[in-house]
Amino acid sequence: MNNKFFLYQPNRNLMVRKLDPPETWNLMVEDALREMRFYHVSRIWVIREFYPLLSALVERWRLETRTFVLPVGEVTVTLEDVAYIFSLHIHGQVVSGWTDSSGEFLDTDRLDILESIQRYIRCQIFYFLGSTLFADKLTVYAHAKYLPLLHDFNLIQTYSWGQHVLALYRASHYDTKEMDDPLNILFVWTWERMPCIVPVPRQYLPAADVPVARRWSHFKRISAWLSKTTTTFRQEIDYMKEPYEGVIIPDELHRHLEVCNTVAPLLSFECVE
């Protein structure tokens, strides 16, 4: 096991580094990640973002309604989208707790991976939080506020990490002209829902499977797409047709889908959306 896991940062963010590739995991690690409901997330590789596309989407975002205004109507990322893109638990305890900026907080709540398989699994989950689910523009940091939520190994699976992703996504647009984290959910949602601006023809992608984000982390982008500008994406969105296509919901999440129809605030640490 790689012992170099995270480094302190003065802004309470920790630099995350992947410990080992999944093919080298002990079977106990895979079983535990399944139990913690993070196994599907562990199968997602790096999702390469593209900021000319991001700029075109920002122009369509409306703060008042938290939706993208498109020629076909108003659309936005939903809890159901989170379920099929990341295959995350969407029903459970609120992801929240105490946040602190002191060095003492970090020293008290940091994770040690040298002594037990459970600590190693916690570190893997912390890596997923920083690199895939709540990734910033550099995709290398995770906020230290998540550390206390990983202390009790039996409680990790009870949190609604899917609702937390949606809460952060919606709150990240508040009073700003730019989008920050989490960006992975936005890019995968865009490519799945808007075939006119995908970075690679659908026939060259792996078959859609859970989590759907997995197939968008395995492709090689074509040079023609990489040469596109914000103006190009703007024009493609202007002339797009109906964006929504079929979705795949993991079997284990079907019984929780009723929560997708709930009208209630999204709570996430300091965010109430």
Side-chain angles (χ1 to χ4, degrees), residues 112-146:
D112 184 352
I113 65 172
L114 302 177
E115 297 179 9
S116 73
I117 191 70
Q118 288 189 354
R119 287 180 178 144
Y120 177 75
I121 294 166
R122 290 188 186 102
C123 289
Q124 286 285 5
I125 293 175
F126 190 70
Y127 165 79
F128 303 145
L129 299 182
S131 65
T132 303
L133 300 180
F134 316 130
D136 61 13
K137 292 179 180 178
L138 298 177
T139 66
V140 293
Y141 296 108
H143 200 290
K145 64 187 178 183
Y146 297 115

Side-chain angles (χ1 to χ4, degrees), residues 15-252:
M15 182 179 292
V16 294
R17 297 175 178 174
K18 194 166 188 177
L19 301 180
D20 295 297
E23 58 268 21
T24 67
W25 286 348
N26 183 296
L27 185 60
M28 293 175 60
V29 175
E30 180 176 322
D31 290 344
L33 288 176
R34 289 183 184 277
E35 183 180 352
M36 299 295 106
R37 299 189 176 98
F38 275 91
Y39 173 72
H40 289 309
V41 177
S42 73
R43 300 170 65 225
I44 302 172
W45 295 359
V46 175
I47 298 174
R48 299 179 182 88
E49 300 156 353
F50 197 59
Y51 291 99
L53 172 57
L54 180 63
S55 297
L57 292 173
V58 168
E59 295 175 355
R60 293 283 182 170
W61 180 256
R62 293 296 176 268
L63 179 63
E64 300 81 8
T65 57
R66 298 294 202 276
T67 58
F68 294 99
V69 180
L70 304 179
V72 297
E74 296 186 29
V75 297
T76 193
V77 180
T78 67
L79 197 58
E80 186 177 74
D81 291 315
V82 177
Y84 89 90
I85 289 174
F86 287 144
S87 302
L88 281 174
H89 191 44
I90 58 175
H91 190 281
Q93 296 188 67
V94 173
V95 177
S96 187
W98 179 257
T99 62
D100 196 345
S101 59
S102 66
E104 182 180 357
F105 175 82
L106 295 179
D107 288 335
T108 301
D109 293 295
R110 65 186 176 91
L111 303 179
D112 184 352
I113 65 172
L114 302 177
E115 297 179 9
S116 73
I117 191 70
Q118 288 189 354
R119 287 180 178 144
Y120 177 75
I121 294 166
R122 290 188 186 102
C123 289
Q124 286 285 5
I125 293 175
F126 190 70
Y127 165 79
F128 303 145
L129 299 182
S131 65
T132 303
L133 300 180
F134 316 130
D136 61 13
K137 292 179 180 178
L138 298 177
T139 66
V140 293
Y141 296 108
H143 200 290
K145 64 187 178 183
Y146 297 115
L147 295 182
L149 302 180
L150 305 181
H151 276 181
D152 191 326
F153 199 72
N154 295 320
L155 291 181
I156 297 174
Q157 62 180 309
T158 68
Y159 291 109
S160 178
W161 296 103
Q163 290 191 45
H164 183 59
V165 169
L166 186 60
L168 280 187
Y169 160 79
R170 292 178 62 87
S172 66
H173 305 288
Y174 178 73
D175 197 26
T176 182
K177 295 182 179 180
E178 297 182 352
M179 296 181 186
D180 198 358
D181 56 338
L183 292 178
N184 285 346
I185 184 71
L186 174 62
F187 280 103
V188 175
W189 172 81
T190 301
W191 295 328
E192 282 291 320
R193 300 299 203 177
M194 306 179 195
C196 65
I197 52 178
V198 295
V200 63
R202 292 293 181 95
Q203 62 266 30
Y204 298 123
L205 285 173
D209 194 4
V210 292
V212 174
R214 174 176 167 81
R215 69 174 181 162
W216 294 105
S217 64
H218 286 62
F219 69 85
K220 293 183 179 179
R221 301 179 179 191
I222 57 177
S223 57
W225 194 85
L226 291 172
S227 66
K228 289 184 178 182
T229 64
T230 298
T231 300
T232 306
F233 286 118
R234 184 185 300 131
Q235 293 172 346
E236 291 178 339
I237 293 175
D238 285 342
Y239 294 100
M240 69 183 298
K241 297 180 180 180
E242 180 64 37
Y244 278 57
E245 294 194 346
V247 301
I248 301 173
I249 303 295
D251 291 339
E252 62 265 31

